[in-house]
Amino acid sequence: MLYSEKVMDHFTNPRNVGTIENADGVGEVGNAKCGDIMKIYLKIDGNIISDVKFNTFGCGSAIASSSMATEMIKGKPLSEALELTNKAVVEALDGLPPHKIHCSVLAEEAVKAAIKDYYDKNGIEYDKSMFPDCASCGHCSGGSCEV
Amino acid sequence: MIYTDNAATTRMSKTAIDAMTPYLDTIYGNPSSLHSAGQEAAEALLASRKTVAEILGCNASEIYFTSGGSEADNQAIVSAALYGERKGKKHIISTAIEHHAVLHTLKRLEKQGFEITLLDAHEDGIVRTEELIDAIRADTALVTVMYANNEIGTIQPIKEIGAICREKGIPFHTDAVQAVGHIDIDVNRDNIDMLSLSAHKFHGPKGIGVLYAKKGTVLTNLIDGGAQERGKRAGTENIPAIAGMAAALKEATEHLDKNAAKLTEMRDRLIEGLLKIPHTILNGDVAKRLPGNVNVCFEGIEGESLLLLLDAKGICASSGSACTSGSLDPSHVLLAIGRPHEIAHGSLRLSLSEENTPEEIEYIIKTVPEVVSYLRNMSPVWNDLQKGEKNYVIQ
């Protein structure tokens, strides 16, 4: 089997699929050309992510990574969500095949992009180094991810 | 389980298994041995060679057993290249939609100083003979064009291409891996100098194939050693597989017309059903295609997730998506016929065999739209298209 049971579970029964009208933060990463796009919507109350939804165009592991990442940040304070790493997503999914690791990186980046969008919209100061650019994912060789 | 990935491989037929069994069991001699155990195996080798030769329309002495289609492609191309080089000819013509067994062999020759011209396959997936004529040069050492494409099923004008090559005195090779056993082939009628085939594409065993090389063709060994295959392919012959291949080919050929008629009907019904899904396009010419090949692109979704969900619903299929291959780029064939990357990622190939039934086709026609719309509903690309923020590529 290519994927772990956890991945298959989150792929076939993805959690938090959908969009949020008037979301407080929206993050979109990836490129259809490369075969993956993730879009994450956040509803933020105070400092807490009260709701999160995602839309993903991509392979099974991209959908599973989005589902797992949204589960991991739902109900959490923004500071904690910002600490989400792709490694934690991979571990929570009981592993991904080597050539699918970039899917978990995209999930981390989508979460961060949505939080950054919330900060930008609300004029909240933040440490820019906390938001790596998309080239760090290494998937599309050289940051061609801008959408 | 509904198996519709017959272009990848087929189920072995009972006939092929039965033909192999004695050579896995009691008749185990080495055909090179002089004793009776060996000679019994040698007889099977000879009979199989005759069977294959009769079906292709050539002499038994023109048949070389190989480990499969890839080896046959490699040997044919390398042989013609080296022969050409000795005469100062270092130009090879092929197509942009060949199997990697051909394309990667050509890539290697390119690094060794050969010039490669890849003919355009156009949007219909068919090369144009006038473009071949234009591409031919005084130093062209080989023309290699696949008989039928493994992804989109398009059938090339092989007889016409062969005639052009004959007239110009250029060796012509065809990778007929997807065609043999499914459409009528005659190497003389089709003006073919070299042809590759693989047994597991027509219900024979894996790991066995044939290189047909017309009498007088100078072959280069890929494997040196013993004098098997008239000194052109060393290694003790895989007698069980060779016997299984001959039996499978005989059976496929005997039922070819009946199978093709059944397949064509199921194929056309499947295409008709799938094209009802909005923003879906057929890849490859609608008529000049293998009787069992269906290949479509669905806008707004990615192929690997589509395959996994179809598999969960009992349908085995294939896709040209990058994610299914582990590479970043989607199918070179779909890109070559002009599909943009994001569309090529959303491809689905269903390759039928005569073992499929009309009921299975109806189940696929019912199931695929459900899975496609499920994935589209969670796709940000589809969302943008629906909201008019992006324009549909497939109308």
Side-chain angles (χ1 to χ4, degrees), chain B residues 12-20 23 43-56 63 65-66 180-181 197-206 208-210 238-255:
Chain B
M12 269 181 66
S13 67
K14 179 87 172 48
T15 310
I17 295 169
D18 288 348
M20 290 176 80
Y23 304 99
E43 273 171 35
L45 182 63
L46 184 66
S48 300
R49 201 185 300 283
K50 270 190 186 157
T51 302
V52 174
E54 271 169 28
I55 290 167
L56 294 179
I63 296 293
F65 293 120
T66 67
V180 171
L197 70 85
S198 174
H200 73 104
K201 307 294 189 185
F202 48 79
H203 305 286
K206 293 165 183 63
I208 191 74
V210 164
N238 187 347
I239 301 298
I242 289 168
M245 170 167 65
L249 183 57
K250 189 162 177 275
E251 185 175 50
T253 307
E254 281 167 3
H255 299 109

Side-chain angles (χ1 to χ4, degrees), chain A residues 41-62:
Chain A
Y41 300 78
L42 301 176
K43 185 92 202 138
I44 294 164
D45 287 318
N47 251 333
I48 305 289
I49 297 173
S50 59
D51 198 11
V52 50
K53 296 277 182 207
F54 80 88
N55 264 201
T56 291
F57 162 91
C59 57
S61 63

Side-chain angles (χ1 to χ4, degrees), chain B residues 17-95:
Chain B
I17 295 169
D18 288 348
M20 290 176 80
T21 312
Y23 304 99
L24 293 163
D25 187 9
T26 51
I27 312 172
Y28 52 81
N30 184 326
S32 299
S33 301
L34 277 176
H35 48 65
S36 53
Q39 287 313 296
E40 231 182 315
E43 273 171 35
L45 182 63
L46 184 66
S48 300
R49 201 185 300 283
K50 270 190 186 157
T51 302
V52 174
E54 271 169 28
I55 290 167
L56 294 179
C58 63
N59 290 318
S61 60
E62 296 170 311
I63 296 293
Y64 299 86
F65 293 120
T66 67
S67 64
S70 292
E71 186 190 327
D73 283 340
N74 271 261
Q75 190 167 13
I77 293 167
V78 168
S79 296
L82 294 185
Y83 184 72
E85 192 175 26
R86 286 203 289 275
K87 303 191 158 193
K89 296 181 176 181
K90 293 188 76 172
H91 175 239
I92 298 172
I93 300 171
S94 188
T95 81

Side-chain angles (χ1 to χ4, degrees), chain A residues 74-94:
Chain A
K74 200 173 181 178
K76 297 280 162 61
L78 286 174
S79 56
E80 212 172 301
L82 275 172
E83 281 166 14
L84 178 80
T85 63
N86 82 294
K87 215 170 150 244
V89 175
V90 173
E91 279 167 13
L93 288 169
D94 290 341

